[in-house]
Amino acid sequence: MMNILSPSILSADFWKLGEDIKAVEGAGVPWLHVDVMDGLFVPSISYGMPVLKAVRPHTDMFLDVHLMIEKPERYVEEFAACGADLVNFHLEATEDVKGCIDKIRATGKKVGITIKPATPAEAVEPYLELVDMVLVMTVEPGFGGQKLIPECLDKVAVIRKMITDRGLATDLEVDGGINLDNVALALDAGANVIVAGSAVFKDNIAANAKAFINKLQ
């Protein structure tokens, strides 16, 4: 399974967001991670449909949209229409996980499901064959720049085994506190999609992105 870098624009400079996105794209990065926060499911508020809609016409990158919002089923169709390639929602944010998956699938987009650090790996097991990707948060969602919680990588290993045992091609993503010093730990645990924010969008963005890509090969 291919290893993929998905830089989070939450850490980009919004004064020059387009330039920052072009810097990672030019470095050969295939995915872009778009964190949407509503101030309810998580304490922070980030951005939403207008930013996604503005970005979509200017890049061919795969837009990996991570909804950290209450009752995500209310908005999945709008995010799909704005250009998401994958709509990823939190298992903890909805009372109808299967319904939310079905709603995303009906838009023709890929489906992701996410769990927070306190949620056990087993919570995703009933949905593994229904989704394209599982995201394990390795920090508490809602803020950038946090340190990775190492224990969360144990859940990555458990979920990777579930995926392998079922013969599935499900991507397994990690998000939170990932940098060049610890990304190997995430890969060794079984993750193949790596979200990095501040470790990419600082100083020389293109050089940071290329360094990550080298680590992922």
Side-chain angles (χ1 to χ4, degrees):
M1 184 165 281
M2 189 169 69
N3 292 333
I4 297 164
L5 177 63
S6 187
S8 171
I9 63 168
L10 188 65
S11 297
D13 181 348
F14 271 74
W15 180 252
K16 53 184 185 70
L17 179 59
E19 290 177 37
D20 284 8
I21 290 172
K22 287 300 179 185
V24 293
E25 185 175 31
V29 174
W31 284 31
L32 204 62
H33 192 79
V34 181
D35 286 306
V36 179
M37 306 178 187
D38 65 356
L40 295 171
F41 181 69
V42 293
S44 298
I45 297 174
S46 59
Y47 44 70
M49 278 84 80
V51 169
L52 183 62
K53 195 172 182 178
V55 168
R56 178 73 285 173
H58 300 286
T59 181
D60 293 327
M61 296 175 80
F62 184 92
L63 298 183
D64 164 24
V65 177
H66 177 195
L67 301 182
M68 289 174 265
I69 65 175
E70 290 284 357
K71 298 182 180 176
E73 59 272 19
R74 295 176 296 160
Y75 295 112
V76 295
E77 289 150 329
E78 288 182 73
F79 278 102
C82 286
D85 291 299
L86 180 147
V87 179
N88 195 345
F89 70 96
H90 273 261
L91 179 148
E92 308 93 349
T94 179
E95 295 177 1
D96 186 9
V97 175
K98 174 67 164 55
C100 195
I101 291 170
D102 290 344
K103 208 164 188 180
I104 299 168
R105 190 67 73 196
T107 69
K109 306 299 183 177
K110 289 194 170 187
V111 184
I113 192 169
T114 305
I115 54 172
K116 295 163 73 172
T119 302
E122 291 72 22
V124 303
E125 194 164 10
Y127 311 107
L128 277 180
E129 296 183 17
L130 305 177
V131 300
D132 301 289
M133 187 172 76
V134 176
L135 167 55
V136 176
M137 292 298 300
T138 45
V139 299
E140 286 297 332
F143 301 98
Q146 298 180 67
K147 288 187 177 180
L148 179 140
I149 303 169
E151 293 77 15
C152 293
L153 295 179
D154 296 338
K155 290 196 295 183
V156 173
V158 170
I159 295 170
R160 173 52 68 197
K161 186 175 187 305
M162 291 178 189
I163 292 168
T164 302
D165 288 350
R166 286 162 177 74
L168 301 173
T170 313
D171 286 310
L172 184 49
E173 183 174 55
V174 289
D175 180 3
I178 304 293
N179 56 45
L180 289 168
D181 294 328
N182 61 25
V183 66
L185 297 175
L187 296 171
D188 289 346
N192 73 294
V193 182
I194 303 295
V195 177
S198 50
V200 171
F201 288 110
K202 65 175 183 182
D203 304 324
N204 189 327
I205 295 170
N208 295 335
K210 287 175 182 175
F212 265 102
I213 290 169
N214 288 337
K215 291 265 188 181
L216 268 55
Q217 289 176 346

